[in-house]
Amino acid sequence: MKFKILIVEDSKASRELIAATVESISGLEAIVTSSGFEALKLLPRHRFDLIITDINMPDINGLELINFVKKNPNYRDTPLFIVTTEGREKDRDRGLALGAAEYLVKPFSPQSLEGLVRRYLKLA
């Protein structure tokens, strides 16, 4: 079974790093988009097992995206990670309060992201 991971990140370098980290794990497929608006269009077309989003993006930001995802019955229980430059405690608290499972501050270690992905998808 292939797991589908949605990556929502406007920075090309971060998007590529996250996608490469996710796809280094056997059985995972990364679907990548650069905006929250595009992510909203992709959500009904696929069944994602995990969502990784930035906060600061043009159009719909990551917090608005999380809010939408967590209200959607199809995605209410889908783990969602925030990967962002926003390292303040209040930003972290807000992201977790909205329903994010994890909050990683850039720059992050690809190994820590890989470990979290494996843990949430219950991969050895």
Side-chain angles (χ1 to χ4, degrees):
M1 177 180 136
K2 238 191 183 344
F3 287 102
K4 276 191 181 178
I5 316 301
L6 177 61
I7 298 166
V8 189
E9 169 62 77
D10 62 323
S11 154
K12 187 174 190 285
S14 291
R15 202 167 52 236
E16 289 174 355
L17 175 63
I18 295 167
T21 302
V22 163
E23 292 191 325
S24 71
I25 304 169
S26 177
L28 267 59
E29 177 189 359
I31 311 267
V32 183
T33 182
S34 61
S35 80
F37 183 71
E38 285 300 314
L40 291 179
K41 293 197 317 201
L42 286 170
L43 286 167
R45 292 194 221 144
H46 298 272
R47 183 68 195 106
F48 294 106
D49 301 289
L50 174 67
I51 298 168
I52 302 173
T53 185
D54 186 11
I55 289 181
N56 297 322
M57 295 181 291
D59 65 57
I60 296 167
N61 74 38
L63 296 175
E64 292 166 324
L65 179 65
I66 293 167
N67 203 20
F68 174 84
V69 166
K70 289 301 173 182
K71 286 181 177 162
N72 181 322
N74 294 331
Y75 286 106
R76 189 175 297 131
D77 300 322
T78 302
L80 198 144
F81 299 173
I82 294 173
V83 179
T84 183
T85 54
E86 300 297 330
R88 295 184 310 251
E89 199 63 36
K90 76 175 184 67
D91 294 313
R92 180 185 163 79
D93 291 348
R94 190 157 162 231
L96 296 173
L98 279 173
E102 295 292 337
Y103 192 100
L104 289 137
V105 178
K106 296 175 195 170
F108 61 92
S109 106
Q111 293 81 3
S112 64
L113 177 60
E114 181 184 336
L116 289 170
V117 169
R118 287 181 180 279
R119 189 170 97 213
Y120 279 87
L121 296 179
K122 297 174 178 49
L123 303 170

